[in-house]
Amino acid sequence: MWRGLVKEYSRYLPVTEQTPNVSLQEGHTPLLFLENLSERLGVELHVKVEGANPTGSFKDRGMALAVAKAKEEGSTTVVCASTGNTSASAAAYAARAGMKCIVVIPDGKIAQGKLAQAVMYGAEIYSLDGNFDEALQMVKQLSEELPITLVNSLNPYRIEGQKTAAFEVCDQLGKAPDVLALPVGNAGNITAYWRGFQEYHQDRGTGLPEMRGFEAEGAAAIVQNRIIPNPETIATAIRIGNPASWEHAVRAAEDSKGKIDFVTDEEMLYAYKLLAQTEGVFAEPASSASVAGVIKQLNSGDLAKGKQVVAVLTGNGLKDPVTATTNANVNVQKIPNDYSLLLKSFEGVTV
Ligand code: F0G
């Protein structure tokens, strides 16, 4: 039985006998081969389905460890700023650990499902009239002035936990892929994957992928090499204009001979629908930045055909039903409660 990633990968993590087990059996997510899209695009495309984690995003990997370590160190309260997924995950793991969780979110800019999660897991929620970057500054300061533990990815245990996703990709494929594509927001995850691939390669000779990270066009601070004061994108999860792990992301791209690039909202929405409608995979809009980026770079020739590519789908599509129903070509037809009328609507239609 899978015991959660802290136990399964304890050899690679900063844990001791004293570290409490605060697990929801996160990790061990599917690596799914996309047969239809691979044929269409001319690459071997796999997706790492992180939406299959307990709270529906990759954040559970880092949170399982960060909350366990906070508890081990005697803390009773965790705090985070969040575009939604971090707060959902922090709240769940804090509940599991019997700790208090405080979250600060940008008002009106987080998906409904994520807010519902934080509410249900019992977090104390502050909806800030400001953006994620401003919220992060505030909780950082709060954690310095009060005896509470910051569980944003500035907390080193978050990155340590998240690096296990790279281990799993190598275990599932038998080696590292040629290319690892993922969305970039605060840039913690690209930092974590790169560390994970390097550590596994050192230990097991699994090889190193090119790291290709994708920001949203309206929040592409790293690509433009400047802080974006008012980031805007439909992908609220990565609506971040001053990524905390900026330098690490640049280094991961450079050292791996990869690239930090951007995708437009249109490109993300296209990939979002394509994944659902050609492969039955429903990921949240920000997640589809990885596949959108692969398509963009295949079209531009930046990415060669025939490569083995793993695109990380960071969060579950169900978290954001509003974006789905307002952007898919909704085909819901209202009908009276009358079978003959339903049958009639198929007249002349081949099914
Ligand atoms: N994808 C999703 C679904 C996310 O929620 C995030 C970040 C990212 C990608 C980007 O990851 O920040 O490590 O580069 N969400 C954070 C949050 C900011 O608060 O939930 P990153």
Side-chain angles (χ1 to χ4, degrees):
M1 196 184 83
W2 179 261
R3 296 166 300 164
L5 57 84
V6 177
K7 282 236 177 300
E8 298 291 337
Y9 291 112
S10 60
R11 212 182 126 207
Y12 298 93
L13 297 172
V15 288
T16 65
E17 298 278 286
Q18 279 69 52
T19 312
N21 184 23
V22 186
S23 176
L24 290 161
Q25 293 185 9
E26 59 293 317
H28 206 220
T29 56
L31 183 73
L32 199 64
F33 174 57
L34 302 188
E35 197 173 343
N36 300 326
L37 275 186
S38 291
E39 199 175 308
R40 193 153 151 176
L41 299 172
V43 284
E44 184 190 321
L45 181 60
H46 304 255
V47 282
K48 183 71 172 150
V49 187
E50 290 292 276
N53 275 302
T55 77
S57 88
F58 72 99
K59 304 287 182 179
D60 294 344
R61 294 181 182 275
M63 217 51 84
L65 186 61
V67 173
K69 293 302 284 189
K71 192 175 162 98
E72 181 181 350
E73 288 157 14
S75 175
T76 59
T77 307
V78 295
V79 66
C80 66
S82 182
T83 57
N85 281 324
T86 298
S87 55
S89 187
Y93 282 84
R96 187 86 168 159
M99 296 171 75
K100 191 174 156 186
C101 178
I102 301 167
V103 308
V104 183
I105 52 173
D107 190 44
K109 296 290 183 182
I110 91 164
Q112 280 301 314
K114 300 176 188 179
L115 183 58
Q117 287 181 290
V119 169
M120 276 305 291
Y121 296 132
E124 190 174 313
I125 305 168
Y126 296 90
S127 197
L128 181 75
D129 183 16
N131 63 32
F132 169 83
D133 304 287
E134 291 156 341
L136 184 57
Q137 280 313 316
M138 286 190 196
V139 296
K140 247 169 83 177
Q141 201 173 337
L142 207 59
S143 72
E144 283 156 15
E145 289 176 19
L146 299 173
I148 51 183
T149 307
L150 183 71
V151 290
N152 280 102
S153 54
L154 293 162
N155 178 323
Y157 298 122
R158 281 279 313 279
I159 305 290
E160 284 294 303
Q162 282 173 214
K163 76 184 181 189
T164 60
F167 301 165
E168 287 181 19
V169 168
C170 293
D171 287 342
Q172 287 164 317
L173 280 180
K175 63 168 188 61
D178 297 327
V179 174
L180 193 284
L182 81 175
V184 172
N186 214 22
N189 210 26
I190 189 169
T191 304
Y193 267 90
W194 182 233
R195 185 184 297 173
F197 281 121
Q198 286 177 301
E199 287 183 10
Y200 231 46
H201 178 55
Q202 249 173 18
D203 195 37
R204 301 172 171 226
T206 38
L208 296 170
E210 288 172 22
M211 301 294 295
R212 295 183 183 240
F214 299 94
E215 299 184 292
E217 185 184 33
I222 301 175
V223 173
Q224 294 185 27
N225 196 26
R226 66 178 182 97
I227 292 168
I228 312 283
N230 298 304
E232 254 336 317
T233 168
I234 188 164
T236 51
I238 53 172
R239 187 174 168 272
I240 295 172
N242 186 12
S245 299
W246 189 318
E247 287 80 24
H248 292 294
V250 170
R251 206 166 320 136
E254 278 177 11
D255 292 353
S256 72
K257 302 188 174 57
K259 186 175 182 176
I260 308 289
D261 202 347
F262 70 89
V263 285
T264 64
D265 282 0
E266 291 68 32
E267 287 168 329
M268 277 188 275
L269 287 173
Y270 175 76
Y272 175 62
K273 287 183 248 182
L274 196 67
L275 276 165
Q277 292 170 10
T278 62
E279 295 286 2
V281 176
F282 186 21
E284 66 170 283
S287 297
S288 62
S290 60
V291 172
V294 168
I295 295 173
K296 173 186 173 176
Q297 296 192 341
L298 281 168
N299 287 338
S300 69
D302 213 351
L303 178 61
K305 300 242 175 192
K307 296 269 189 192
Q308 185 183 56
V309 180
V310 169
V312 183
L313 298 180
T314 45
N316 194 309
L318 288 169
K319 284 175 175 271
D320 189 358
V322 174
T323 302
T325 48
T326 50
N327 289 282
N329 307 323
V330 183
N331 191 19
V332 183
Q333 300 173 41
K334 271 201 154 201
I335 53 164
N337 188 359
D338 181 340
Y339 174 72
S340 65
L341 286 175
L342 176 63
L343 184 65
K344 208 159 178 258
S345 67
F346 289 95
E347 261 173 26
V349 179
T350 357
V351 281

